[in-house]
Amino acid sequence: MHQLTIAEIIRGLRDRQFSSVEITGHLLGRIEQLDGNYNSFISVTPELALQQAAAADERLAAGDAPALCGVPLAHKDIFCTEGVRTSCGSKMLDNFTPPYDATVVENFNNASAVTLGKTNMDEFAMGSSNETSYYGPVKNPWNSNCVPGGSSGGSAAAVAAQLTPGATATDTGGSIRQPAALTNTTGLKPTYGRVSRWGMIAFASSLDQGGPIARNAEDAAYLLAAMAGHDPKDSTSLDRPVPDYTAGLNGDIAGLRIGVPAEYFSDDLNPQVAARVQDALKEYEKLGAQLVEVSLPHTHLAVPAYYVIAPAEASANLSRFDGVRYGHRCEDPRDLRDLYMRSRGEGFGEEVQRRILVGTYALSAGYYDAYYNKAQQVRRLIKQDFVQAFEKVDVIMGPTTPSPAFALGEKKADPVAMYLEDIYTIAANLAGLPGMSLPCGLVNNLPVGLQIIGNYLDEARMLNVAHRYQQVTDWHKASAA
Ligand code: GLN
């Protein structure tokens, strides 16, 4: 049963081949039996899951069930869940049980989807390897000596290990697409504002965006349909109609113009990864698409701009964790200053502290213009590159990551090497554009991701483009489990 895709589970539940309680129980058993190998969950919620599954079965029997009714899923531990600990991968929030659900979680609950538990992640979503989690690293199901990517490494690994058919995730600079690429899953970061950020613990508010990780584009379409939509509680949420993402999946893509940026095939790219991506582009040509050379000349500035803007916003967002209202509090503080300093010093890990220091520095008087303002100007240029490219093409394609999964520990001591993992993903966040990663081959038995960057609010087309490729290739079916 764990091999089933979300689309197959939806059909199976309606055809009474199995109940939600049955498939939920099966997956909970698998998590208990196997997750010791992966560490992809921070919290498993069997009681809640079985209760939700029983309610879903009643709703299915009554015949008025929404698409995802009874489908078991997992949520990244960055989404607040009422009554269920939400740690954000940090000691700071190890003891935090939110009194409310994030809008994304509420949407899934309203659809009667089932929550299996909360997935592991880099602390406060800062990282590309899942090694900064307070709860220990996640292992890549394809090779347990390798990282699954981050920060949504738990969600990606849980899907790849077939512990859940789908999971929520978030992407500030690549954290949906990069782990999807490294685990042979399909992940989608929507247009900024498409999915509500309410109740999603903030890292860098102008970049953060929630989205799905699943086994294929069709399943991602089902999940995005439940996640997307206007939310008055998030002032950056877009009040635009949500298209029917599953309806358009089979559309013909003959004549599709695919932009291929030379900058995404630079020296940083592993040649075997480049070859798999080129193979995928050839497959698209066979489907009738046309490859068009485009240029994104400011690509090399994306990492430096991001690593000023994201830490700057993080330093402001994380100032709320002061040991006073909630989260970790040090023992026996001498005075208020001691309370702040020790609570934050003890509660935040090394990478989070590094970001707060960098961000505070970049925002300080005298450096603000030199760093923060400059980075915002660069951001504008990066966005302009895409606006110009999309005058000529419908989607942009390239690699998701410069290499396949790397070894645990390999980049941990070198933050800059870790930051360069994001060179192909970060620009889409800076521009607010939607991006996807889908499996396009293996290198040394490790997965390679093809990245699709779409125009604003063009998620339906991206899903269609991804689905058509998955109809003529089997890479997404290759399994680590
Ligand atoms: N790796 C990037 C960072 O550490 C992106 C993380 C993310 O997308 N949440 O900031």
Side-chain angles (χ1 to χ4, degrees), residues 157 372 409 466:
Y372 185 72

Side-chain angles (χ1 to χ4, degrees), residues 274-424:
R276 297 292 83 79
V277 172
Q278 295 292 358
D279 290 345
L281 294 175
K282 282 186 205 123
E283 207 60 60
Y284 273 106
E285 280 188 302
K286 283 194 224 156
L287 287 166
Q290 180 195 341
L291 304 184
V292 182
E293 235 176 82
V294 293
S295 180
L296 302 170
H298 297 95
T299 296
H300 64 291
L301 297 176
V303 168
Y306 172 91
Y307 280 98
V308 171
I309 294 169
E313 292 186 21
S315 72
N317 273 324
L318 269 55
S319 65
R320 74 191 65 179
F321 302 107
D322 55 6
V324 176
R325 284 159 298 185
Y326 54 89
H328 176 75
R329 175 181 295 180
C330 68
E331 288 202 9
D332 304 322
R334 280 192 313 277
D335 51 28
L336 189 61
R337 193 180 157 81
D338 185 45
L339 168 79
Y340 288 155
M341 288 186 50
R342 279 201 292 127
S343 298
R344 288 167 67 80
E346 292 165 8
F348 291 137
E350 194 180 308
E351 181 61 24
V352 174
Q353 295 194 25
R354 180 181 296 122
R355 306 275 179 124
I356 292 172
L357 287 172
V358 170
T360 309
Y361 180 80
L363 290 178
S364 58
Y367 294 104
Y368 187 98
D369 284 334
Y371 294 108
Y372 185 72
N373 260 352
K374 192 49 94 189
Q376 292 288 22
Q377 287 165 345
V378 169
R379 181 178 191 171
R380 176 74 194 195
L381 295 174
I382 288 168
K383 179 178 166 171
Q384 207 53 45
D385 284 354
F386 283 108
V387 169
Q388 275 161 13
F390 280 119
E391 283 169 10
K392 291 195 289 186
V393 297
D394 304 306
V395 293
I396 289 170
M397 287 191 193
T400 308
T401 62
S403 65
F406 48 94
L408 279 153
E410 188 180 320
K411 300 189 183 182
K412 209 176 168 213
D414 184 351
V416 175
M418 191 72 87
Y419 298 168
L420 286 171
E421 186 58 20
D422 309 323
I423 44 177
Y424 304 128

Side-chain angles (χ1 to χ4, degrees), residues 76 124-128 150-151 170-176 203 208 306-307 310 351 355 418-419 422 426 429:
K76 184 176 181 179
F124 284 100
M126 298 172 189
S128 304
S151 65
T170 63
D171 191 311
T172 303
S175 282
I176 291 176
F203 163 13
D208 297 343
Y306 172 91
Y307 280 98
E351 181 61 24
R355 306 275 179 124
M418 191 72 87
Y419 298 168
D422 309 323
I426 269 176
N429 301 78

Side-chain angles (χ1 to χ4, degrees), residues 189-267:
K189 175 202 103 69
T191 306
Y192 182 76
R194 180 71 295 186
V195 167
S196 169
R197 291 185 296 109
W198 198 77
M200 192 178 105
I201 295 169
F203 163 13
S205 308
S206 77
L207 301 158
D208 297 343
Q209 189 58 198
I213 293 182
R215 224 162 273 149
N216 60 37
E218 183 182 23
D219 286 4
Y222 276 111
L223 297 182
L224 182 62
M227 296 175 85
H230 180 237
D231 180 5
K233 289 188 285 212
D234 171 0
S235 61
T236 59
S237 168
L238 293 170
D239 191 0
R240 297 282 290 275
V242 178
D244 185 338
Y245 294 120
T246 48
L249 287 172
N250 291 311
D252 193 359
I253 60 165
L256 179 82
R257 296 166 304 166
I258 299 176
V260 184
E263 293 83 357
Y264 282 34
F265 294 85
S266 57
D267 291 344

